[in-house]
Amino acid sequence: ISAYNGSIKLPDMWSDVQSFKDSVQKIRYDNHYREIRDHQANVDFVKGTTSFLSDSTLEVSGEQSFTASSGNIVIGTGADPFIPDLPGSSLALTSDNIFAYKSSIGQLPGSIILIGGGYISIEIADMLAPFGIELTIIQSHDRLLPGMDKAISDEALRLMSGKHVSVIFNGKVKEISKSGKMKIVKLMDGDEEKILSAEEVVMATGRRPHIKGIGLEKTTVKTLNNSIVVDSHMRTSRQNIFATGDVIGRSMLFHAAVKESVIAARNIEGKQNYVMNFSAIPFTLFSYPELGSVGYTEADVINMGIDYEVVSQSLEGDAQSQIFRQRDGWFKIVIEKDGGRILGFQTFAHDGADLVAYFTAAIENGMTAKALAMSCEPHPTTFEAIPSSLRKYL
């Protein structure tokens, strides 16, 4: 955007961004419908709502209304944006208003307050900062991305600071109100009360599994912390009922739901015993550069009592990072000291998602540092830095 500030009107660019987003989402939805059509011989697709009548019977209401019984049932009801119970919360937007198909933000606001310091807030701020919007993140914790490795959290803060996004830590929002065209946020910053104003407020406080209204109380399926409890085979407490995706409250990401669903389907077939490895679910924050992680962090392995070592690698000397002018990138690899098994990986890089995918396969398949050190990666790609960083294991 900065390269074209003199010749492009930002509101027009925002309209183009939304149109492009919608066009891609339309392609994706068409793909999903085509997948259903490709399996029409074995799949009946019904638009409507469903509620359990028992552990084996469902009531369906919609284009068709009927009851259905099955030997196996999979629950995949997803999650909804979590809206804290505070005065004026209905005035706030959610990520759905920004990213959903045909989303409702037609014009760019001049200022936005983002409540929450997780990946949703950071991705929104990173996307909107180049448009010159005044952005403020209110985080209730003492750092961004509190569930991630601290190096990732620190890098996220540096990224936000570099893009002139204000961040308030340990902020407790008390109330949202409206005054004219502005929305007012009252919060406690430590012992001090603060009042902030912006044209829009976005509630980015996470998502909550959707378990209400589906009749779970009529089943023997157990829940915990508003999530359906499953084992590593994706089975619930009821042998014939499986649950996958956001509704289980773990690794609430699209790709995790896909893998969990494959595990459930194969176990329903009963041909082989498939197990879900939750530690091999990759996380990527699509800022630029990208932040990513898969497997265990240093804090995780310390808590688990595992003897480990870390290989840290700067990407300053990496050829592709130099080409993309992103020489401040890095990655670190958490390695089991006894045996050299790859346990975890974290990165900040222009192609962080690709690097995380590489290590997802390594962790899923129990690969060792020596095996990766022997790999030959194409030049010029960031992957070259992986065997280079691990040569001491040869």
Side-chain angles (χ1 to χ4, degrees):
I1 289 176
S2 59
Y4 294 97
N5 260 342
S7 59
I8 292 180
K9 295 179 180 179
L10 293 184
D12 293 340
M13 182 177 284
W14 175 246
S15 178
D16 290 343
V17 167
Q18 287 197 308
S19 295
F20 178 73
K21 171 188 70 70
D22 289 341
S23 70
V24 173
Q25 286 177 305
K26 179 66 164 56
I27 293 169
R28 298 299 304 150
Y29 295 150
D30 289 344
N31 280 354
H32 295 322
Y33 281 121
R34 187 165 58 250
E35 289 166 358
I36 292 170
R37 288 196 304 270
D38 289 345
H39 296 86
Q40 259 184 335
N42 301 307
V43 176
D44 292 325
F45 181 65
V46 180
K47 290 184 179 180
T49 59
T50 306
S51 181
F52 280 95
L53 297 176
S54 70
D55 281 325
S56 59
T57 306
L58 297 160
E59 181 179 42
V60 180
S61 302
E63 291 179 345
Q64 305 172 46
S65 296
F66 57 92
T67 59
S69 296
S70 175
N72 292 287
I73 298 170
V74 179
I75 303 172
T77 48
D80 305 305
F82 171 64
I83 308 297
D85 184 17
L86 56 88
S89 60
S90 61
L91 293 170
L93 304 176
T94 70
S95 59
D96 285 354
N97 297 108
I98 298 174
F99 295 122
Y101 184 59
K102 300 291 185 183
S103 54
S104 61
I105 296 185
Q107 292 184 337
L108 276 175
S111 54
I112 296 177
I113 294 171
L114 294 150
I115 300 175
Y119 76 92
I120 294 174
S121 270
I122 296 171
E123 287 184 341
I124 291 174
D126 187 80
M127 176 183 71
L128 295 181
F131 288 93
I133 297 172
E134 182 183 335
L135 295 158
T136 301
I137 294 174
I138 301 174
Q139 168 65 315
S140 60
H141 295 274
D142 60 359
R143 63 184 175 105
L144 298 173
L145 302 170
M148 304 297 294
D149 186 89
K150 191 173 185 303
I152 295 286
S153 297
D154 292 344
E155 204 64 72
L157 179 59
R158 189 172 73 88
L159 193 66
M160 292 295 95
S161 298
K163 298 187 179 184
H164 308 292
V165 177
S166 299
V167 181
I168 297 173
F169 291 109
N170 299 309
K172 308 295 183 184
V173 175
K174 297 297 182 183
E175 180 183 335
I176 304 172
S177 59
K178 191 171 183 180
S179 177
K181 294 183 179 180
M182 304 298 285
K183 294 178 181 178
I184 313 300
V185 175
K186 184 183 293 185
L187 70 145
M188 296 302 296
D189 184 1
D191 295 328
E192 179 186 357
E193 182 178 273
K194 286 187 176 180
I195 296 177
L196 306 178
S197 63
E199 291 183 29
E200 289 292 355
V201 175
V202 176
M203 198 72 76
T205 45
R207 301 181 73 83
R208 175 168 288 183
H210 184 88
I211 64 172
K212 291 183 179 179
I214 62 172
L216 282 183
E217 68 279 2
K218 297 178 182 179
T219 72
T220 55
V221 172
K222 292 181 179 179
T223 62
L224 180 66
N225 297 326
N226 203 67
S227 305
I228 294 178
V229 178
V230 296
D231 62 17
S232 59
H233 308 288
M234 307 315 299
R235 278 192 176 88
T236 68
S237 53
R238 177 70 182 184
Q239 185 75 3
N240 69 306
I241 301 178
F242 295 74
T244 65
D246 288 359
V247 75
I248 69 170
R250 302 178 66 176
S251 301
M252 297 169 73
L253 301 162
F254 176 87
H255 47 275
V258 171
K259 182 175 180 181
E260 291 159 6
S261 298
V262 171
I263 296 290
R266 292 294 178 259
N267 286 328
I268 287 171
E269 288 179 337
K271 296 178 181 178
Q272 190 174 333
N273 191 29
Y274 284 81
V275 175
M276 182 70 189
N277 181 3
F278 285 101
S279 70
I281 299 299
F283 167 87
T284 301
L285 194 151
F286 287 99
S287 55
Y288 191 77
E290 297 166 351
L291 291 158
S293 178
V294 64
Y296 298 122
T297 65
E298 285 189 72
D300 291 332
V301 294
I302 289 171
N303 290 335
M304 295 165 71
I306 297 174
D307 198 8
Y308 75 99
E309 51 195 17
V310 170
V311 169
S312 297
Q313 178 73 22
S314 166
L315 295 176
E316 182 180 5
D318 172 69
Q320 192 179 95
S321 298
Q322 292 166 357
I323 293 168
F324 280 84
R325 298 180 180 178
Q326 296 294 338
R327 298 177 63 187
D328 58 347
W330 52 265
F331 64 71
K332 67 176 184 176
I333 310 168
V334 182
I335 301 167
E336 188 177 34
K337 204 164 188 178
D338 183 16
R341 186 165 53 102
I342 305 296
L343 298 176
F345 174 80
Q346 292 83 41
T347 187
F348 172 69
H350 68 276
D351 58 348
D354 297 335
L355 293 170
V356 167
Y358 183 104
F359 278 89
T360 297
I363 292 171
E364 180 67 45
N365 291 284
M367 295 182 71
T368 64
K370 182 178 180 179
L372 297 189
M374 283 296 294
S375 66
C376 181
E377 307 299 338
H379 174 80
T381 68
T382 317
F383 298 105
E384 288 180 287
I386 298 169
S388 174
S389 70
L390 296 171
R391 281 178 186 154
K392 71 175 185 178
Y393 290 92
L394 292 176

